[in-house]
Amino acid sequence: MTLQVTDISAIGIVCAADSAISFRENGETKKQASWPKLFRIDRLGAVIGYYGYAQVGKHDIPQWLDSFILHTQASSLNELASELRDRLNAEWTSPADQTGTGFHLAGYGSLSDVTTPHFYHILNHSGVEGRYKATGSGFRADPDFTNRDAVKYMPHNLNRFFEEN
């Protein structure tokens, strides 16, 4: 089980995750190890983390994400979220137990020429209510902060959002 937190406040963005990964066989935990779960994307000033099933195809997510980050040509967080969604949909192989996975992508971007925080949730499951089981519709990239949490404050009234929330 992964603990991953992304907090957006008036003073900045904080991303944190535990480092434990569980290896399971036939539904039983066989061992645990420490794995990287947060990755910096320096050229975009962003951080991405993951939770859930930790493989894409035959590759462990840490190695797969390193390669993805190295080769992406995305010039914004929106482009990166879309490219990640599309690559995952092309390369993902569901495990036998249908466990889903998700990614938190956070950083800053421009909205109407104003630098604002952005947060994307890239996931292939229906959330906690669905016990993180992968859905048949594949991965989606939801811009949760700008299009849900702070939508009525974007981009010029973020201070009010932070005061009220």
Side-chain angles (χ1 to χ4, degrees):
M1 181 175 168
T2 294
L3 172 65
Q4 184 173 344
V5 177
T6 303
D7 183 58
I8 299 174
S9 73
I11 58 173
I13 300 172
V14 175
C15 300
D18 70 309
S19 62
I21 185 138
S22 299
F23 296 92
R24 298 182 193 277
E25 192 174 296
N26 299 323
E28 272 187 52
T29 299
K30 290 296 183 187
K31 70 175 186 171
Q32 284 194 320
S34 180
W35 276 26
K37 291 186 183 174
L38 291 176
F39 299 81
R40 290 175 24 180
I41 307 165
D42 291 329
R43 67 184 185 77
L44 293 177
V47 173
I48 189 167
Y50 68 93
Y51 62 89
Y53 185 67
Q55 284 191 309
V56 176
K58 295 182 190 274
H59 304 281
D60 294 336
I61 283 185
Q63 291 75 29
W64 188 89
L65 259 180
D66 276 339
S67 177
F68 174 80
I69 291 166
L70 182 65
H71 293 99
T72 182
Q73 296 299 307
S75 60
S76 69
L77 292 183
N78 186 53
E79 285 180 16
L80 186 72
S82 295
E83 183 181 342
L84 178 61
R85 176 202 61 216
D86 294 346
R87 285 273 307 277
L88 288 164
N89 281 328
E91 298 178 26
W92 178 261
T93 304
S94 277
D97 67 358
Q98 298 297 304
T99 300
T101 197
F103 299 81
H104 288 182
L105 172 63
Y108 291 92
S110 182
L111 192 61
S112 300
D113 295 323
V114 176
T115 299
T116 58
H118 290 256
F119 171 80
Y120 291 84
H121 193 188
I122 299 102
L123 67 159
N124 70 343
H125 60 81
S126 56
V128 229
E129 300 81 23
R131 300 185 44 85
Y132 297 107
K133 295 294 181 193
T135 63
S137 55
F139 283 86
R140 62 187 186 278
D142 298 332
D144 286 350
F145 187 72
T146 55
N147 288 20
R148 185 192 69 193
D149 301 335
V151 66
K152 68 181 185 178
Y153 302 93
M154 290 303 234
H156 299 289
N157 293 313
L158 278 177
N159 286 339
R160 199 168 120 231
F161 169 81
F162 293 125
E163 289 169 6
E164 292 176 7
N165 295 286

